[in-house]
Amino acid sequence: MKTRVGRIALSFAAAAALVVLAGCSSSGSSFSGTWGSDAKGEPSLTIEADGTFSGTDGCNPVEGTGTISDGTFTFGPFASIQVACEGVTPWLNLAATAQVEGSTLVVYRMDGEEIGSLDKQ
């Protein structure tokens, strides 16, 4: 009888450990961090674990809140000031979704076309 109770207790402990470990592997952690370049005229983006983001398209500041689901970061509405900057292509303002591929954040438009990528800093 004691052996059966011990096995049941061990089974529950193992199941609880798996649940805790699964919770530690947050999908947000792969998106969290700073992506892009600090160089003038280059885009950069910082994504927090809660989905908030801020950065620059290389000219204009951008910020907002996105969501993370099934390995995809979906950008929410951007708050940004739009001014023209000579020699800068503000492609980051067209971002709809992003995915992490190795140490690169690949950014896509609403139609699913890749528009750019940012390396992790």
Side-chain angles (χ1 to χ4, degrees), residues 43-65:
S44 67
L45 187 66
T46 299
I47 301 175
E48 303 295 337
D50 66 358
T52 57
F53 62 88
S54 62
T56 177
D57 63 7
C59 175
N60 302 297
V62 296
E63 64 179 49
T65 302

Side-chain angles (χ1 to χ4, degrees), residues 21-106:
L21 290 175
C24 290
S25 62
S26 168
S27 61
S29 64
S30 65
F31 291 98
S32 299
T34 301
W35 306 86
S37 173
D38 290 333
K40 184 176 180 175
E42 295 295 321
S44 67
L45 187 66
T46 299
I47 301 175
E48 303 295 337
D50 66 358
T52 57
F53 62 88
S54 62
T56 177
D57 63 7
C59 175
N60 302 297
V62 296
E63 64 179 49
T65 302
T67 57
I68 300 166
S69 178
D70 296 328
T72 299
F73 184 85
T74 302
F75 290 89
F78 284 80
S80 180
I81 299 169
Q82 297 295 312
V83 296
C85 296
E86 190 173 323
V88 175
T89 304
W91 59 265
L92 190 56
N93 284 334
L94 301 174
T97 62
Q99 295 181 333
V100 175
E101 293 181 13
S103 61
T104 302
L105 185 72
V106 181

